[in-house]
Amino acid sequence: MGIGQMQLASSFHVVTPYKDWEDTPFPQGIELFCQPGGWQLSKERKQPTFFVVVLTDIDSERHYCSCLTFYEAEINLQGTKEIEGEEESGLIPPAEVFAPKSLVLVSRLDYPEIFRACLGLIYTVYVDSLNVSLETLIANLCSCLVPASGGSQKLFSLGAGDRQLIQTPLHDSLPVTGTSVALLFQQLGIQNVLSLFCAVLTENKVLFHSASFQRLSDACRALESLMFPLKYSYPYIPILPAQLLEVLSSPTPFIIGVHSVFRNDIHELLDVIIADLDGGTIKIPECIHLSQLPEPLLHQTQMALSLVLHPDLETADYAFPPPRTALSHSKMLDKEVRAIFLRLFAQLFQGYRSCLQLIRIHAEPVIHFHKAAFLGQRGLIENDFLTKVLNGMAFAGFVSERGPPFRACDLFDELVAFEVERIKAEEGNPPKMIKHVRELAEQLFKNVSLLYLLHFWS
């Protein structure tokens, strides 16, 4: 599969591809997302920015739009009023104004770091007027074929003396999060993130706001990844442009991010849970009853997260505390948090396969899930949270994908099949629990794609 398409957008025009690609059609109106706050001139040359926009087409296919925006001197304004000390010519010194321009790479592949590197290289060649053809750089980028999941590493070059190495995840069903999950907990704290987690699983509306577009993308990515093995099936718009704020009045659940400059526009939303990434708070309207995880899973999850995110908490009251060790690397910490949620889902869905009934095999499997039997086995018939989860669209998709007896399995299937009893045996033994969490985190870490920019000039 090719990496994607290129676009150049400015405040005055949009340069679109001459020919559309059948598997990745050019998204109309993308210029709204390049400058979500609107295209505006600036009196100063601002620093280049980068963020990723996620667009979903009518077939529910996602397109990842990596956007690098920079500013160029565009207009010299001249006035007609006299200025003290100037000749009576009616002219004033020219005022330089800078206009935003955006390089956008549209792809069905989700590789933000390597796309950042590629766009950064194209930008550098352009602004430094290097003796390299921009057309050659873009042609080499769009013609690069990405190896299949679990395939060998691929070395490629855009043709500017650069060397770039890409390796796809071992299993494409597992989310790739970088450090976004750990960052979300750092911004909002354990209890707030657990509330948002329960909110999306029970099909509530969740809205993030921040002064950083990239933080919005990271937060939406993190929250969605915590749902694995479930997949979010409602509107998912990490960065919502100002011109489309009316989407927030949609009757359907969503995960959406908006810039903090619009906080006054979202203040009156009565059925939306709002998370302030910069202030570290969430607001749950009084009209929303937020169902919580059943006990003892809620307490176990809170304890595990506390031990992973705050390793000194357990020994904070010791008269002679042990020497402090270095905190986990942020990427490994990210995987440890995800491992806790994977183990949570393994316990939530334990025994789900015994409640599946295969009604038809051909031409396409039709599977029925006995919700009452499943809840009865767990003694949770009246549990509000799990009932809502089982009735949701995400669980329906889970059953259709993981219900058939012959299918590709991944890490979650192994957890459900072999690890639930070991998880139960850890009760009251935090060191053993942390040991198993880190073992699972190692597997998640090994799955992560390696995206490097080995950059030098020939």
Side-chain angles (χ1 to χ4, degrees):
M1 178 181 292
I3 281 184
Q5 303 186 36
M6 284 293 301
Q7 173 201 8
L8 177 65
S10 76
S11 55
F12 304 106
H13 62 279
V14 179
V15 181
T16 60
Y18 292 114
K19 182 179 179 181
D20 234 353
W21 292 14
E22 292 183 3
D23 62 341
T24 310
F26 185 79
Q28 298 300 319
I30 192 175
E31 65 276 7
L32 298 179
F33 292 86
C34 297
Q35 287 288 305
W39 291 87
Q40 300 174 351
L41 299 174
S42 172
K43 294 181 179 180
E44 299 177 354
R45 188 191 300 272
K46 298 181 180 180
Q47 287 291 322
T49 61
F50 176 87
F51 54 83
V52 179
V53 175
V54 181
L55 304 180
T56 306
D57 61 26
I58 58 174
D59 297 322
S60 298
E61 294 288 341
R62 288 188 181 175
H63 302 266
Y64 300 91
C65 308
S66 301
C67 179
L68 188 151
T69 298
F70 59 99
Y71 286 76
E72 282 194 326
E74 191 71 30
I75 303 172
N76 286 330
L77 298 179
Q78 288 184 326
T80 57
K81 296 182 180 179
E82 291 186 21
I83 291 184
E84 185 178 352
E86 294 290 333
E87 297 181 0
E88 297 182 0
S89 62
L91 297 179
I92 63 174
E96 199 169 32
V97 178
F98 298 91
K101 294 186 178 180
S102 296
L103 287 168
V104 185
L105 196 157
V106 183
S107 177
R108 286 168 58 183
L109 303 174
D110 185 18
Y111 294 137
E113 291 307 316
I114 200 164
F115 292 162
R116 181 204 299 263
C118 292
L119 291 177
L121 182 61
I122 293 172
Y123 165 76
T124 300
V125 169
Y126 172 69
V127 297
D128 290 345
S129 301
L130 300 179
N131 189 26
V132 180
S133 167
L134 289 175
E135 290 81 0
T136 299
L137 299 180
I138 296 172
N140 289 337
L141 174 61
C142 292
S143 61
C144 175
L145 296 179
V146 177
S149 297
S152 59
Q153 298 176 349
K154 180 178 179 62
L155 185 68
F156 71 97
S157 170
L158 297 190
D162 60 303
R163 296 292 184 271
Q164 303 191 51
L165 182 67
I166 184 171
Q167 180 175 341
T168 54
L170 296 177
H171 304 284
D172 57 8
S173 64
L174 297 177
V176 176
T177 55
T179 61
S180 61
V181 171
L183 179 61
L184 182 63
F185 276 88
Q186 177 186 336
Q187 292 167 327
L188 295 179
I190 292 174
Q191 189 54 53
N192 284 341
V193 175
L194 282 176
S195 294
L196 295 180
F197 172 74
C198 292
V200 294
L201 285 184
T202 54
E203 301 190 340
N204 286 281
K205 303 176 183 179
V206 173
L207 176 65
F208 292 101
H209 72 82
S210 171
S212 163
F213 291 123
Q214 190 56 47
R215 290 291 173 89
L216 292 174
S217 291
D218 288 341
C220 292
R221 173 192 292 268
L223 184 58
E224 185 187 37
S225 71
L226 292 179
M227 294 180 61
F228 179 83
L230 303 182
K231 294 181 179 178
Y232 196 70
S233 55
Y234 289 107
Y236 175 83
I237 313 173
I239 300 175
L240 184 69
Q243 297 91 330
L244 302 179
L245 287 179
E246 66 271 11
V247 171
L248 298 177
S249 301
S250 166
T252 63
F254 57 65
I255 298 176
I256 291 179
V258 298
H259 197 277
S260 292
V261 296
F262 305 119
R263 62 167 61 91
N264 293 332
D265 299 290
I266 64 178
H267 182 69
E268 300 300 326
L269 295 172
L270 299 178
D271 60 344
V272 180
I273 298 173
I274 301 176
D276 178 359
L277 294 174
D278 305 332
T281 61
I282 69 170
K283 175 186 174 183
I284 304 176
E286 293 182 0
C287 62
I288 294 180
H289 167 67
L290 189 58
S291 303
Q292 297 291 337
L293 285 166
E295 293 290 3
L297 291 180
L298 176 58
H299 174 72
Q300 292 171 359
T301 304
Q302 290 173 327
M303 181 188 69
L305 289 170
S306 295
L307 291 175
V308 166
L309 293 167
H310 310 294
D312 294 338
L313 185 62
E314 193 176 20
T315 61
D317 293 338
Y318 286 7
F320 306 100
R324 291 193 175 190
T325 57
L327 294 176
S328 301
H329 187 275
S330 57
K331 288 188 177 179
M332 182 54 71
L333 181 63
D334 185 275
K335 306 306 174 284
E336 290 175 2
V337 173
R338 284 180 52 195
I340 291 171
F341 281 85
L342 260 179
R343 287 157 52 92
L344 168 63
F345 273 112
Q347 294 175 85
L348 272 177
F349 294 163
Q350 178 191 10
Y352 81 93
R353 298 202 63 79
S354 66
C355 297
L356 295 174
Q357 181 181 3
L358 193 61
I359 299 175
R360 186 186 74 194
I361 299 179
H362 300 293
E364 188 174 313
V366 174
I367 303 166
H368 176 69
F369 182 75
H370 292 278
K371 299 172 186 175
F374 179 75
L375 292 170
Q377 290 176 4
R378 312 290 299 277
L380 296 171
I381 292 178
E382 298 182 358
N383 182 265
D384 186 47
F385 173 81
L386 198 51
T387 299
K388 288 181 178 179
V389 172
L390 298 183
N391 289 331
M393 287 184 61
F395 187 77
F398 172 85
V399 168
S400 65
E401 287 189 2
R402 296 180 182 265
F406 304 103
R407 70 196 190 288
C409 295
D410 60 19
L411 194 56
F412 177 74
D413 297 289
E414 296 176 7
L415 279 177
V416 171
F418 305 113
E419 296 296 317
V420 173
E421 292 305 318
R422 188 171 79 159
I423 293 174
K424 289 181 178 179
E426 298 166 1
E427 189 172 353
N429 192 336
K432 182 178 290 187
M433 181 269 294
I434 290 296
K435 177 177 179 292
H436 294 160
V437 164
R438 288 174 176 162
E439 289 174 356
L440 180 57
E442 287 283 354
Q443 296 185 63
L444 291 171
F445 189 78
K446 290 177 182 177
N447 181 69
V448 176
S449 51
L450 304 176
L451 304 177
Y452 300 121
L453 177 66
L454 307 179
H455 185 134
F456 59 88
W457 300 104
S458 58

